[in-house]
Amino acid sequence: MFIEKNCEIHLARRPEGLPDSTCFKLVSQPVAELKEGEVLVKNLWMSVDPYMRGRMVDRKSYVPPFALDATLEGAAIGEVIESRNPSLPTGSKVSSMKGWREYFISDDKDLQLLPQTEIDDQAFLGIMGMPGMTAWVGLTQIAELKKGDRVFVSAASGAVGSTVCQIAKLKGCYVAGSVGSDDKARYLQEELKVDAVVNYKTVPDLANAIAEACPEGIDVYFDNVGGQHLEAALNLMNDHGRIAVCGMIDQYNSTAPVPGPANLAQIIVKKLKMQGFIVFEHWEHYPEFVQQMGHWIQEGKISWKETVFEGIEQAPEAFLGLFSGINTGKMLVKLS
């Protein structure tokens, strides 16, 4: 099968500060004929995630930076539409890191078959994929969550944060979260049954608002934001508290060094554990996570939301929307 028009999104320039549409370029090019052992995959869904902002900078990190004038990468769900590989027959649903494009050819080494389940395919980019796994790893492996813990979550309505809130509630914890709109606050309180919510965009004093939301202090802080949220949480941490540092979206678009919290001495005084983590280093736990999350979903104990853009050409807008907080739950792009 010869694909004459395969649309892709390339990185046109490296952003300084907040990215804009000029950082991206829509490119169309053909896809070659298959060789023996290869498959042709049509992407159905792709993910955009805040960590991708870091890969737009030409610096050493835990993953290589995106190359200029080359296709961006990210998690995607696709379907094999032509196969010369018996292990992946036509019709197979697969996950990959070959997002930001409509079609691609693979020799199967970079593909993962989706498990047979009634859960929607795109859930493996969200609640059953990297965001859900990140929430589970951060709570169970890094923060060592215990029943009765007082938990605070920043960016609590996002794909990771909303899952953190639900897992913590299922584990018998008090949960407070920070969000950026009243609609998101209602979602957390009315649907996810979070105990207290702070709208950081409307409160006059963030530190006081978090203190009111966490009257018995914080045992576990799941940090997606950094900045003022981290500084406020440090003052409220209980002795031997644990901080799982998942992200620092507050700094991703900074053009100059950002001053650190002025109260890091609280780590010593309160005997705190503060650890950053990258979920890919914990992927050996994925089968355990899938079993547990699948069980919760079947029992109706976990819910999730998706914000969906349509078409490959909308992928940059979806990505940029992460930094203005337009999404509730997982931000996705539907390609089919």
Side-chain angles (χ1 to χ4, degrees), residues 236-289:
L236 297 169
M237 296 298 297
N238 295 325
D239 283 358
H240 302 286
R242 291 88 69 202
I243 302 174
V245 185
C246 173
M248 291 198 171
I249 198 169
D250 193 54
Q251 300 181 20
Y252 288 172
N253 295 308
S254 299
T255 56
V258 178
N263 57 346
L264 288 177
Q266 295 288 349
I267 297 174
I268 304 169
V269 174
K270 297 178 177 180
K271 292 79 68 178
L272 305 178
K273 171 187 172 182
M274 182 174 177
Q275 182 178 342
F277 70 100
I278 304 298
V279 69
F280 298 115
E281 293 187 352
H282 301 267
W283 215 254
E284 72 273 12
H285 297 291
Y286 186 67
E288 181 184 355
F289 158 74

Side-chain angles (χ1 to χ4, degrees), residues 127-202:
I127 194 73
M128 292 289 283
M130 184 182 69
M133 177 70 171
T134 299
W136 184 86
V137 165
L139 283 178
T140 64
Q141 308 297 311
I142 307 300
E144 300 171 341
L145 187 72
K146 302 189 298 289
K147 183 178 180 179
D149 277 338
R150 274 68 175 173
V151 179
F152 177 62
V153 186
S154 54
S157 66
V160 174
S162 61
T163 308
V164 171
C165 290
Q166 294 181 84
I167 294 174
K169 289 298 296 181
L170 285 169
K171 295 289 187 178
C173 300
Y174 175 93
V175 179
S178 165
V179 297
S181 76
D182 289 339
D183 285 342
K184 292 177 180 180
R186 282 190 290 272
Y187 164 59
L188 258 64
Q189 290 184 300
E190 295 175 8
E191 295 190 38
L192 303 189
K193 308 304 180 185
V194 169
D195 297 285
V197 183
V198 172
N199 182 346
Y200 72 90
K201 290 186 177 180
T202 59

Side-chain angles (χ1 to χ4, degrees), residues 30-248:
V31 177
E33 297 283 352
L34 291 185
K35 298 177 183 177
E36 197 63 37
E38 293 182 333
V39 295
L40 175 63
V41 178
K42 178 183 180 182
N43 275 333
L44 307 175
W45 295 87
M46 59 165 277
S47 172
V48 293
D49 301 280
Y51 82 88
M52 295 174 177
R53 174 62 181 86
R55 294 192 67 186
M56 294 178 178
V57 180
D58 189 8
R59 66 185 174 203
K60 186 176 180 180
S61 185
Y62 61 92
V63 286
F66 292 131
L68 285 173
D69 298 313
T71 315
L72 294 161
E73 297 176 346
I77 299 296
E79 180 178 357
V80 175
I81 61 171
E82 184 181 359
S83 176
R84 297 188 66 181
N85 185 322
S87 66
L88 287 171
T90 300
S92 300
K93 297 288 185 67
V94 295
S95 63
S96 75
M97 290 300 291
K98 297 290 188 180
W100 297 87
R101 69 202 78 191
E102 292 180 309
Y103 300 88
F104 67 94
I105 289 175
S106 171
D107 60 3
D108 87 8
K109 294 182 177 61
D110 51 2
L111 302 179
Q112 180 73 43
L113 270 172
L114 293 192
Q116 295 294 322
T117 174
E118 294 181 0
I119 299 172
D120 291 339
D121 294 340
Q122 70 269 26
F124 288 89
L125 296 175
I127 194 73
M128 292 289 283
M130 184 182 69
M133 177 70 171
T134 299
W136 184 86
V137 165
L139 283 178
T140 64
Q141 308 297 311
I142 307 300
E144 300 171 341
L145 187 72
K146 302 189 298 289
K147 183 178 180 179
D149 277 338
R150 274 68 175 173
V151 179
F152 177 62
V153 186
S154 54
S157 66
V160 174
S162 61
T163 308
V164 171
C165 290
Q166 294 181 84
I167 294 174
K169 289 298 296 181
L170 285 169
K171 295 289 187 178
C173 300
Y174 175 93
V175 179
S178 165
V179 297
S181 76
D182 289 339
D183 285 342
K184 292 177 180 180
R186 282 190 290 272
Y187 164 59
L188 258 64
Q189 290 184 300
E190 295 175 8
E191 295 190 38
L192 303 189
K193 308 304 180 185
V194 169
D195 297 285
V197 183
V198 172
N199 182 346
Y200 72 90
K201 290 186 177 180
T202 59
V203 295
D205 186 299
L206 179 63
N208 285 341
I210 296 174
E212 291 177 3
C214 304
E216 296 185 42
I218 300 170
D219 299 307
V220 170
Y221 173 39
F222 196 103
D223 191 10
N224 291 304
V225 175
Q228 294 182 351
H229 279 79
L230 175 57
E231 187 162 315
L234 282 168
N235 285 332
L236 297 169
M237 296 298 297
N238 295 325
D239 283 358
H240 302 286
R242 291 88 69 202
I243 302 174
V245 185
C246 173
M248 291 198 171

